[in-house]
Amino acid sequence: MNRTAAVVERIEALRNEINYHSRQYYVFDEPVIPDTEYDRLFRELQNLEAEFPQFIIADSPTQRVGDTPLAGFNEVTHSLPMLSLDNAFEEDEMGEFERRIRDRLKLDGGEKISYLAEPKLDGLAVSLRYEQGRLVLGATRGDGSRGEDVTSNVRTINAVPLKLQGNDWPPVLEVRGEVFMPREGFEALNKHARELGEKSFVNPRNAAAGSLRQLDPRLTAKRPLSFYTYGFGEVAPAPIASTQSESIYRLRHWGLPISPLQEVVTGIQECINYYLQIVQQRDTLPYDIDGVVFKVDDLNRQQQLGFISRAPRWAIAYKFPAQEEMTQVESIEFQVGRTGAITPVARLNPVFVGGVTVSNATLHNMDEVMRKDVRPGETGGGCGSYPVN
Ligand code: 5U1
C-alpha cells in the first residue's frame, strides 16, 4: 500500500474510532477510554488532516467548529410545526388528561393506556434534520412554524452526531430535542465570567439560549452544551416503529442521545409514581428539569388523538410547582473573590423555596443590580436554588 492509501485508511479508522468513543460517552454514558486517550486520537486526526487537507470532509469530528462568524441567522420554515405541550400542575389534571384520551379513543374501563415518560429538561427546543444520515440543518423553535438556522452552532455540540451511525435510518430524519447546559458546566462558565469581571448568566437555561444564539460558532463551541432527543419532525419514509418508545430507542442506535430516565408506564397511577420518583431525584440530576412529560406510546393512538391548536392531545407536561417566592432584601453586600472580583450579594429575609431556606442571593454584578433595580428594604421574587442560594 502506498503512503497516500495508508493515510486515507488511517484517517477513516480514526474518524470511526473517535465517533465510536463519542457515542459511548454521550449516548450510552459508558466511556471506554480516558479523556487523554480520546484527545490523543483527536490530535492525530487533526495532524493528518492538516498535512492532507484534500481528505477533509464536512462531517469529520474535527470539523465541528466553523471559523466564519455569521452576519445574522437565516429564518427557516419547519417542515412540520414544532409543537408545544399542554401543562398539568395537579394530580387531578393528570386524571382529566387521561379521561379526555379515554373518551376520544372510546376505550372501555378495563383497557389501560401506556405512556412514554421522561423528565422535561429546562433548555431550548431545537430541530435537527438529517438527510442521507448527515446533519443538514439545526433550527430553533421560534414561533413553532418558523425558527432560526443555528446549524453552525449545533454542529459544535459534541452530543449531536454530524453523521448517523449504521445505514438503516430513513433518508429524511428530523428529530426534535432539547439543548441544555449541565449545572456543573454552568457553574464553571459563570465562575470564569465573574473572574474576568464579565456578565454572568442567571440560570443554565438562559446560558444555553445565549450560547446557541452566538453569531460566532467558535464562542458556542466553548460553552458546555449538551443535547437529548425527545421527538420527531418530518420522517420519510415513516413510521420507523409502531410506538413512541421503540421509535426513540431506534434513534439511540443511530447515535442520537436520549434521556436515560425514559420509562414506559401504564395507567395514570404509574404516571403519578414516575412523577414522584423524578421529584425525588431532581436535585441529584446533573441538569435542571421543570417537570415530567408523558406521551401516549402507541403511534396509531397518537394519530387518532391528533392536536388542538399547537399542542398534541396525546402528550402532557406535569410541571413541578414553581420554585419562586417573594421576600425582602435586607441589605446588599459585596463579596471579594480570591481573584479580587467583586460580587454583589443580597441578604434576604429567609424564605423557604424549592425545598431549602434561602437567605442570600447572588446579584452577579453591578449591571444586574441596576437592571433589576434591587434595593434594600424592597420585596421581590426569585427562583429556587438557582441562582438564589
Ligand atoms: N422531554 C420532553 N420535552 N418535550 C418538550 N418531551 C417533549 N416533547 C415535546 C416538547 C415541546 O413536544 C412533543 C409534542 C414532541
Side-chain angles (χ1 to χ4, degrees), residues 34-224:
D35 291 355
T36 47
E37 177 59 11
Y38 181 90
D39 294 343
R40 196 199 60 73
L41 294 169
F42 200 88
R43 265 196 312 277
E44 186 184 343
L45 179 58
Q46 275 178 322
N47 291 340
L48 281 177
E49 286 181 344
E51 200 181 335
F52 299 90
Q54 66 272 36
F55 301 130
I56 296 178
I57 53 169
D59 49 27
S60 171
T62 59
Q63 302 301 303
R64 285 190 171 272
V65 188
D67 53 9
T68 5
L70 302 172
F73 296 110
N74 289 328
E75 196 177 80
V76 282
T77 301
H78 298 302
S79 49
L80 286 177
M82 286 184 76
L83 303 169
S84 46
L85 289 167
D86 267 346
N87 292 326
F89 296 95
E90 312 275 348
E91 228 177 279
D92 283 1
E93 292 174 281
M94 286 299 293
E96 282 162 28
F97 165 66
E98 172 148 293
R99 258 190 304 284
R100 286 195 298 272
I101 291 176
R102 301 193 77 83
D103 287 351
R104 282 213 160 243
L105 296 177
K106 298 189 173 51
L107 296 184
D108 66 38
E111 203 171 344
K112 288 209 166 172
I113 304 172
S114 290
Y115 301 91
L116 180 63
E118 66 190 311
K120 185 170 184 302
L121 284 153
D122 203 3
L124 197 80
V126 296
S127 183
L128 303 181
R129 186 176 174 92
Y130 290 86
E131 288 178 4
Q132 305 301 336
R134 291 190 151 78
L135 178 67
V136 294
L137 179 69
T140 59
R141 182 176 185 281
D143 65 5
S145 302
R146 280 185 302 272
E148 286 178 325
D149 180 343
V150 287
T151 312
S152 42
N153 287 346
V154 293
R155 282 177 62 91
T156 69
I157 304 173
N158 287 324
V160 170
L162 300 178
K163 193 175 132 205
L164 298 178
Q165 167 73 0
N167 51 19
D168 56 345
W169 23 257
V172 175
L173 176 67
E174 214 172 74
V175 296
R176 272 73 204 256
E178 203 88 352
V179 167
F180 61 97
M181 191 176 285
R183 286 176 186 158
E184 203 180 289
F186 166 75
E187 294 292 358
L189 181 70
N190 264 359
K191 182 168 174 273
H192 189 60
R194 283 195 290 271
E195 281 168 1
L196 296 178
E198 290 174 0
K199 200 165 169 254
S200 51
F201 289 101
V202 170
N203 56 38
R205 206 198 93 79
N206 286 8
S211 303
L212 207 61
R213 295 202 73 263
Q214 292 288 336
L215 290 170
D216 186 345
R218 286 168 296 191
L219 292 179
T220 310
K222 289 187 187 148
R223 302 286 172 81

